[in-house]
Amino acid sequence: MWLTSVVVSREAPAPLTLQIQTAIKQEVTDGVLRPGTRLPSTRGLAHDLNVSRSVVVEAYGQLIAEGYLEAMQGSGTRVARHLSGPPVVSPLLDEGRVPRVRWDLRTGGSVPSHFPHREWALAYQQAVRSAGRADLGYPPLSGVPALREELARYLGRVRGVRTAPQRIMVVAGFAHGLALLCAALTRLGIGAIAVEDPGLVRQQRFIRAAGLTTVPVPVDAEGIDVAALAATGVRAVLVTPFHQFPTGVTMSPQRREALVGWARATGGYVIEDDYDGDLWLERRPRPLALQRLAPGHVVYAGTASKTVAPTLRTGWLAAPADLLTALERARSERDLGADGLTQLAFAELLRGGALDRHLRRLRSRYRGRREALAQAVQRHLPGAALSGSAAGLHACVRLPRRTDEALLVARALRRSVLVRGGRDFTTLSGSPDPALVVGYTQVSTAGLYEAVQELGRVWEQLPDR
């Protein structure tokens, strides 16, 4: 067992024992040696450093006395488990450490009990059993043919997407697809993408990291403001027309026509992020994909993250022919395709109808949760109401105009309710109406009611409400 970060020198003025102690302390402090990490035996480290064993014994003993290390019977010497490492903040998700709470109403999480364990196991077993030599090699850049074929059938049947297998690229989730789209658009001479505001700020960071500029465009009760979009002069826009994030608005038919009209007039592209298009909870018919109105100008993007599980890292792009060519060229420079066995298993889910059955169960479960949320808001938050369509995994709760949104969110956290305010998702100047963005799928129906009841108690104590 090696400890490569510890180096000693007989030429240094400090004693060998102190050099070892200092090096290990620094590695523990910097988070390189994590709590619970097993260290080499005193005999082994002494051999590696070419020093006397007594030097290492003395160094370990002092570090144990200071609380950096712990000696465990039968398990050797380890970094003390009580030490907490430095906060780990993901540069992509920007979540970092969050406090432990009783009611977590954030969006985007997964629920293990909602995963179709049996169906996925059967589909994966079938994929492994039927995989031939070609299936076990590097997958085609645009995806396994079997999955592209099933996706073309499914998207046409369920979302009205006008595409063909050869117009679909399988990607490792929407973030991966967005990075490829940015690279492809750059090849076509497009250096900026308009984005909805409010919207998912994280996606703006993805776009900027890819070297493109983001241009925020306001969203109203009908969807993105197409007149404001046209005024920007950009030739690409990223939208969520089915269930806008975070307002929950479904783009109106008139606004859809205006948006595709803009794309045709400018020769531009619309990226349709249909992140939760399979989770329509309204009793009225769900709207079809925007892409069917202008297949030559709209890229339809879907994902399994919200309907099956984020860990699958499976998504798809149905793109116009010219853009697909640019996507394939961009991808050939970046990766060697997505996991083939996962693609084959997902194709099995689609082919046998298991995904359809899974989604019916999800929609029934989530419809009940959203209705419970609406009832709780009506009872415990006077003047507040859910806005937008009943769909997806979150709801936007519009608060009375005089509500101090930031204070409500902060005080709710003290009552063990973790929820995000609407202003977290906007970058434009001005003060949008106060709102809460509530994820309702990770908490039980009873838990939703209790959480909103706590929010109501906090709201009642706010000044100038």
Side-chain angles (χ1 to χ4, degrees):
M1 182 182 293
W2 292 86
L3 189 56
T4 56
S5 55
V6 175
V7 179
V8 298
S9 171
R10 287 180 168 79
E11 304 300 323
L16 295 175
T17 297
L18 182 59
Q19 291 182 48
I20 295 172
Q21 292 175 36
T22 301
I24 293 177
K25 279 184 184 180
Q26 190 62 52
E27 295 295 273
V28 171
T29 302
D30 290 346
V32 177
L33 293 177
R34 306 289 299 169
T37 299
R38 185 179 179 186
L39 300 187
S41 67
T42 54
R43 190 182 304 278
L45 184 57
H47 178 270
D48 294 341
L49 298 178
N50 193 26
V51 299
S52 167
R53 183 187 177 198
S54 61
V55 170
V56 180
V57 169
E58 183 180 350
Y60 275 16
Q62 184 60 35
L63 289 170
I64 291 171
E66 294 179 17
Y68 285 90
L69 303 182
E70 57 188 10
M72 306 180 68
Q73 185 68 31
S75 187
T77 304
R78 297 177 182 267
V79 178
R81 297 176 188 273
H82 67 81
L83 297 174
S84 60
V88 179
V89 180
S90 166
L92 299 183
L93 300 182
D94 206 21
E95 291 178 349
R97 292 179 181 269
V98 295
R100 185 180 297 276
V101 295
R102 183 175 180 185
W103 301 287
D104 188 344
L105 302 183
R106 291 175 299 161
T107 63
S110 61
V111 184
S113 62
H114 297 175
F115 181 76
H117 293 86
R118 180 176 178 275
E119 292 88 343
W120 179 251
L122 291 174
Y124 203 88
Q125 287 172 5
Q126 179 60 29
V128 172
R129 283 197 299 264
S130 61
R133 179 177 297 179
D135 297 319
L136 298 177
Y138 290 105
L141 279 180
S142 286
V144 171
L147 178 54
R148 296 168 76 190
E149 180 71 42
E150 292 301 329
L151 282 170
R153 293 170 179 164
Y154 178 80
L155 295 176
R157 172 173 61 88
V158 175
R159 304 294 293 121
V161 173
R162 294 164 59 189
T163 190
Q166 61 270 26
R167 296 286 181 264
I168 293 177
M169 173 177 281
V170 179
V171 292
F174 179 69
H176 178 229
L178 181 58
L180 291 173
L181 283 166
C182 289
L185 290 171
T186 301
R187 287 175 176 270
L188 298 177
I190 295 175
I193 297 180
V195 294
E196 297 172 322
D197 196 292
L200 199 58
V201 178
R202 183 172 70 239
Q203 289 181 349
Q204 298 185 38
R205 291 198 293 271
F206 288 158
I207 294 170
R208 290 193 293 269
L212 280 76
T213 302
T214 57
V215 181
V217 178
V219 172
D220 59 26
E222 292 188 74
I224 194 168
D225 185 336
V226 179
L229 169 64
T232 66
V234 302
R235 291 181 49 226
V237 61
L238 171 61
V239 295
T240 50
F242 175 78
H243 186 228
Q244 202 275 333
F245 187 90
T247 67
V249 166
T250 296
M251 190 178 291
S252 70
Q254 296 80 8
R255 198 62 62 85
R256 286 169 167 244
E257 291 289 348
L259 183 56
V260 299
W262 165 86
R264 293 190 181 106
T266 61
Y269 295 98
V270 177
I271 302 171
E272 179 182 11
D273 179 9
D274 196 24
Y275 65 99
D276 59 0
D278 284 316
L279 297 173
W280 183 250
L281 309 179
E282 300 265 1
R283 302 297 179 181
R284 59 188 171 94
R286 59 182 168 182
L288 297 177
L290 175 71
Q291 184 266 1
R292 68 181 284 109
L293 298 178
H297 292 276
V298 180
V299 182
Y300 176 88
T303 174
S305 295
K306 303 298 185 292
T307 53
V308 184
T311 191
L312 291 185
R313 308 314 306 139
T314 300
W316 42 89
L317 305 173
D322 58 339
L323 193 53
L324 187 66
T325 299
L327 281 167
E328 290 175 335
R329 288 176 179 170
R331 188 165 194 178
S332 68
E333 300 169 354
R334 286 165 171 76
D335 62 71
L336 297 176
D339 176 6
L341 287 175
T342 296
Q343 292 184 59
L344 290 171
F346 200 79
E348 288 291 335
L349 278 186
L350 292 168
R351 185 181 299 113
L355 183 64
D356 286 321
R357 294 188 291 274
H358 167 66
L359 290 173
R360 280 197 294 271
R361 293 193 298 268
L362 278 189
R363 285 192 289 267
S364 176
R365 181 181 291 125
Y366 294 165
R367 185 177 292 115
R369 299 278 176 87
R370 194 181 192 280
E371 290 172 353
L373 174 63
Q375 293 171 7
V377 167
Q378 183 179 25
R379 178 165 184 177
H380 296 292
L381 286 172
L386 274 61
S387 69
S389 300
L393 309 179
H394 81 279
C396 182
V397 179
R398 297 289 184 186
L399 299 168
R401 289 203 167 192
R402 295 184 63 183
T403 302
D404 186 331
E405 177 191 297
L407 187 59
L408 174 61
V409 169
R411 290 189 176 179
L413 184 57
R414 298 177 192 170
R415 304 287 286 265
S416 205
V417 181
L418 180 56
V419 66
R420 297 188 71 179
R423 289 172 190 165
D424 286 351
F425 302 95
T426 184
T427 60
L428 291 173
S429 58
S431 299
D433 291 342
L436 299 175
V437 182
V438 179
Y440 52 78
T441 60
Q442 300 183 80
V443 181
S444 67
T445 300
L448 279 172
Y449 193 88
E450 293 169 351
V452 175
Q453 190 174 36
E454 285 297 318
L455 286 170
R457 290 169 180 155
V458 173
W459 181 81
E460 288 177 351
Q461 297 172 7
L462 293 179
D464 302 324
R465 59 180 176 81

